[in-house]
Structures are given as C-alpha cells and as structure tokens.
Amino acid sequence: MSKQPRKQRKFRYQAPLHLRHKLMSVNLSPELREEHQRRSLPVKKGDTIKVMRGDFKDHEGKVEKVDLKHYRLMIEGISVQKPDGNQVYHPVHPSNTMIVEMDLDDDERNEILERKG
C-alpha cells in the first residue's frame, strides 16, 4: 500500500464494490463500542444513524440506501426540497455519522461481531 495521497485517492476512486463496502465503515456509539468491543462497522441498510457534522447535525434516522458508487448514505428524514417542490434525500458521507442502533437481523453481521468481539 502506497503512502502517496495521489495513489490513495486513485485506490478509493477505482475500488471494486466489495472493498468499497469496507470503506463505508461508520463509528459506533460509545454504548455499542462498550457492548461489542469494536470501534466501527460497515454501515448497512436498516441501521439507525446519528449525523455528527454538517447541516443536519444531531439528526437521527434509519439508513434507507447505501450508495457504494459515490460513498454516500441516504438517511430517513434527511431530505431537501428541490425548486420544483420534490423532496430528495440529502446524501451524507459515512465519516460524518455514528451508528446509534444496529440492525442485527443479518447472520453475516452477527458472525462478524462474534469473530471480532
């Protein structure tokens, strides 16, 4: 792995989808950190997330969509109105968020937590 910012940037832009999912990791809340002995996890549709930075700071909502192509999250309740009156999701970068409640219905995610925990 190179240290050069140019090559780091290139890697992010050209990363395949299975690696992009890893790059979409989000910090866990202090309670979840204590419970699962992990600092962060890849975000998943259905997780409840709190926005920590930006115009929507302190808003909480469920993740409606994970956009791996653009590295963005679409969160319930975080939308803007277009000039024609339509409401559209305001994309949020995962680095500006924190997982407050995890969706543990997924067996794979439970395996990850057991393996790392």
Side-chain angles (χ1 to χ4, degrees):
M1 199 74 184
S2 174
K3 290 191 291 187
Q4 294 180 24
R6 161 181 60 172
K7 290 186 180 178
Q8 292 285 324
R9 225 173 283 122
K10 182 181 180 184
F11 172 76
R12 287 184 85 82
Y13 295 149
Q14 295 182 343
L17 288 178
H18 73 284
L19 292 179
R20 282 178 183 243
H21 182 65
K22 266 265 203 267
L23 293 170
M24 295 282 284
S25 287
V26 174
N27 285 332
L28 296 177
S29 68
E31 299 83 39
L32 289 174
R33 240 181 239 190
E34 191 68 37
E35 183 183 338
H36 298 289
Q37 301 296 310
R38 298 225 24 191
R39 187 175 182 84
S40 64
L41 267 181
V43 71
K44 185 175 167 298
K45 182 179 174 179
D47 289 344
T48 304
I49 275 192
K50 180 179 181 182
V51 180
M52 305 302 285
R53 296 279 184 273
D55 295 338
F56 295 96
K57 184 176 180 175
D58 294 329
H59 280 67
E60 282 190 26
K62 280 192 186 260
V63 176
E64 294 291 323
K65 182 181 178 195
V66 178
D67 184 0
L68 292 176
K69 184 176 181 184
H70 299 109
Y71 294 109
R72 294 290 184 268
L73 303 172
M74 309 303 168
I75 304 169
E76 173 184 60
I78 297 181
S79 59
V80 290
Q81 191 168 5
K82 288 170 58 172
D84 65 2
N86 289 341
Q87 289 283 339
V88 291
Y89 286 117
H90 186 271
V92 179
H93 194 270
S95 67
N96 299 324
T97 62
M98 178 175 70
I99 296 178
V100 178
E101 201 176 301
M102 287 192 290
D103 181 22
L104 294 172
D105 295 338
D106 186 16
D107 292 335
E108 280 184 32
R109 186 177 247 185
N110 288 327
E111 281 179 29
I112 291 167
L113 288 171
E114 287 170 16
R115 183 174 65 229
K116 299 278 184 172

